[in-house]
Amino acid sequence: MENRFENKNHVIKDYEREPVPQDQRKGWLKLSVVWMGAIIALSATALGGTLGGGLSMTEAVIASFIGCFILSILSALCGIVGAKTGLSTSFVSMFALGKYGSYAVSIIIAIALFGWFGVQLDLFGSSLHNILLNVFHLDIHPKLLVVVGGILMTTTAFIGYKAIEKLSLIAVPLLGLLLIASLIRVMNGRSMDEVMNAPLIGEPLTIGLSISLIIGSLAIGAIIGPDISRYAKSTKDAVISSFVGFFVGFSIVLIIAAILAKATAQVDIVEIMLGLGWGTSAMLILILAQWTTNDNNLYSSALGFSVIFKNTPKYILTITAGTIGTVMAVAGIYDNFIPFLVFLSALIPPIGGIYVGDYLMNTKKYRFYELSSIENVNYSSVSIWIVAALVAFITTPAPNGLGIFTLTGASGFDAFLVSFGLQLIVSKVSKNKIQAISSEKQGGTIL
């Protein structure tokens, strides 16, 4: 009986409040697959379709590579901190923002990602309903499909990284094969020149705006990178997996989706597959793509809640969040909730800039045993967080922001850069002061 309990506990153990042991760490290949599972969603293919509809094919490729390269750098920087400490984003932020500052981070990350879990689940239910009705002539109520999807996605998030990795190892190759097979079928009888010279089918875009859209679509995913990279065997594995996931995986998905949009004059990947007569494949890609992305949302949300509710097991937090998110999706309240989620999401990118900047200046303090002596609030870092978040709101176009001016065009990236630069300066000044005080004390002792 005791052994059975230990085996069960081992399955769901996810090291949410301690560093991931070295013997549980993974190489870059498995980490890359997890990243790609999180990245490849309906929103990614929709974004690629939008690029194909509003840019020339050459411009779409350029925008994809540049945008994904910047995301790779963001993810790699944040991932290094996760790999070094073995801790989640919420715990990592404690070193830079203090104990209570970290609680604020945990609440924001947890509620924002848990909220987006419900939004994606609502999209999952309505899209799957359309496929089942149009292809299989099955009229299953979208709300029932939302419940089924919520149970599936909560199951893997409930177990933790192990289940997410196993699902990604199955889903990512299948999703890749489906996209490549769709590409081959669409290009059959068409020349590449036709695709390259195809007219625009959507609202015209610029390369700059497209790069901003790409960065904005996954900036939060890169910032919470420690939630995944804490399982990396080394910083090298964390960096390589970031580039494979974002630069290779995401850019390929965007480019394939853009080509499909050019060749078919449609931007919706599910509609394209239905048009190709692949009803079952369309359903499969929808289920797998949303599942592998949305369980990551719930997983990171539960990690955030774990820092706040210290005595509650993570699997209970996951089930609770998944249940509430599913009920909210069934109730259809997310239409009114989305502006609030956008507001919360603007607060997350500065967190990455703060902990990366502080880590680069104070690498030695980023050790688990140092957390016991961490101050309650690091006021300078919290001030930087507020300033950078304000920059995000100012540079975000209305109605979600003030839209007073723009920097890079991606408000989340703006906030990261501002917080990163300010934190480097503040951490450097603070480090010099501590060293000066230490030198004075040593000099006084000698005298």
Side-chain angles (χ1 to χ4, degrees):
M1 189 75 175
E2 189 175 338
N3 288 336
R4 189 180 300 174
F5 176 79
E6 288 177 0
N7 290 335
K8 181 183 176 183
N9 190 51
H10 178 71
V11 170
I12 62 175
K13 187 170 179 61
D14 203 30
Y15 309 102
E16 62 271 17
R17 298 184 184 95
E18 60 186 300
V20 176
Q22 199 62 39
D23 64 350
Q24 296 297 315
R25 305 287 187 101
K26 313 290 181 178
W28 65 267
L29 185 57
K30 286 187 176 180
L31 288 169
S32 299
V33 173
V34 172
W35 270 123
M36 284 190 271
I39 289 166
I40 301 174
L42 282 184
S43 55
T45 56
L47 177 57
T50 301
L51 298 180
L55 296 171
S56 70
M57 196 60 230
T58 301
E59 290 172 331
V61 171
I62 292 172
S64 297
F65 280 141
I66 294 175
C68 293
F69 183 73
I70 293 172
L71 280 173
S72 301
I73 294 174
L74 274 181
S75 176
L77 287 171
C78 297
I80 286 171
V81 185
K84 274 291 187 183
T85 60
L87 298 170
S88 67
T89 308
S90 295
F91 265 108
V92 162
S93 64
M94 197 176 289
F95 291 103
L97 291 162
K99 191 180 298 181
Y100 296 143
S102 172
Y103 291 167
V105 168
S106 301
I107 291 170
I108 289 169
I109 290 177
I111 294 177
L113 294 178
F114 145 71
W116 287 120
F117 166 82
V119 172
Q120 293 278 4
L121 193 56
D122 190 44
L123 173 63
F124 170 85
S126 58
S127 300
L128 186 54
H129 172 261
N130 290 335
I131 293 175
L132 291 173
L133 186 61
N134 294 329
V135 179
F136 302 101
H137 308 295
L138 295 173
D139 189 5
I140 301 176
H141 201 284
K143 303 300 184 186
L144 179 59
L145 296 174
V146 164
V147 173
V148 173
I151 292 171
L152 289 175
M153 296 163 191
T154 302
T155 301
T156 44
F158 149 78
I159 296 173
Y161 182 90
K162 298 181 188 73
I164 291 173
E165 180 189 281
K166 295 289 189 297
L167 177 63
S168 297
L169 287 169
I170 296 169
V172 169
L174 283 176
L175 292 171
L177 286 172
L178 283 170
L179 287 174
I180 293 170
S182 299
L183 181 63
I184 292 171
R185 181 169 286 194
V186 163
M187 290 303 294
N188 186 30
R190 289 186 176 91
S191 68
M192 199 61 197
D193 286 338
E194 285 182 63
V195 174
M196 297 298 287
N197 298 317
L200 301 184
I201 57 172
E203 185 178 339
L205 300 169
T206 63
I207 291 180
L209 176 58
S210 300
I211 292 171
S212 300
L213 289 173
I214 292 168
I215 296 171
S217 69
L218 284 178
I220 293 176
I223 297 304
I224 60 172
D227 291 350
I228 291 177
S229 68
R230 67 198 183 104
Y231 272 92
K233 284 184 177 178
S234 66
T235 54
K236 180 181 176 182
D237 289 297
V239 171
I240 292 174
S241 63
S242 291
F243 275 85
V244 173
F246 283 91
F247 185 59
V248 178
F250 192 34
S251 62
I252 288 175
V253 170
L254 292 176
I255 291 169
I256 289 177
I259 293 173
L260 293 175
K262 288 286 187 188
T264 62
Q266 289 195 22
V267 299
D268 188 331
I269 188 70
V270 174
E271 289 296 326
I272 290 171
M273 288 193 168
L274 290 176
L276 293 172
W278 288 9
T280 305
S281 298
M283 183 174 69
L284 185 61
I285 194 171
L286 169 70
I287 293 172
L288 290 178
Q290 292 302 87
W291 190 351
T292 57
T293 298
N294 225 14
D295 63 354
N296 274 276
N297 282 334
L298 196 58
Y299 170 68
S300 289
S301 177
L303 285 177
F305 281 131
S306 294
V307 174
I308 305 164
F309 303 102
K310 296 179 180 179
N311 297 320
T312 306
K314 181 180 141 290
Y315 72 89
I316 292 179
L317 296 173
T318 305
I319 293 172
T320 303
T323 301
I324 296 172
T326 302
V327 170
M328 290 175 74
V330 170
I333 70 171
Y334 278 114
D335 288 340
N336 300 318
F337 196 45
I338 286 179
F340 177 62
L341 291 179
V342 172
F343 167 79
L344 284 183
S345 297
L347 298 174
I348 297 177
I351 296 167
I354 290 169
Y355 73 69
V356 170
D358 188 58
Y359 173 78
L360 293 176
M361 289 292 104
N362 300 286
T363 306
K364 290 183 179 179
K365 83 172 184 181
Y366 277 71
R367 295 185 174 95
F368 183 65
Y369 62 81
E370 295 284 357
L371 284 176
S372 59
S373 58
I374 289 293
E375 59 195 322
N376 286 333
V377 180
N378 185 320
Y379 291 100
S380 59
S381 294
V382 170
S383 299
I384 290 171
W385 185 13
I386 294 170
V387 169
L390 285 174
V391 170
F393 289 122
I394 290 171
T395 58
T396 299
N400 296 318
L402 299 177
I404 296 175
F405 62 87
T406 61
L407 294 175
T408 65
S411 57
F413 189 47
D414 295 341
F416 176 88
L417 291 176
V418 169
S419 62
F420 177 67
L422 291 176
Q423 189 64 50
L424 280 177
I425 295 170
V426 169
S427 295
K428 180 65 175 175
V429 170
S430 176
K431 185 178 181 181
N432 288 342
K433 282 184 178 179
I434 292 172
Q435 288 176 342
I437 292 171
S438 177
S439 297
E440 286 179 8
K441 285 182 178 179
Q442 289 177 355
T445 301
I446 292 172
L447 289 172

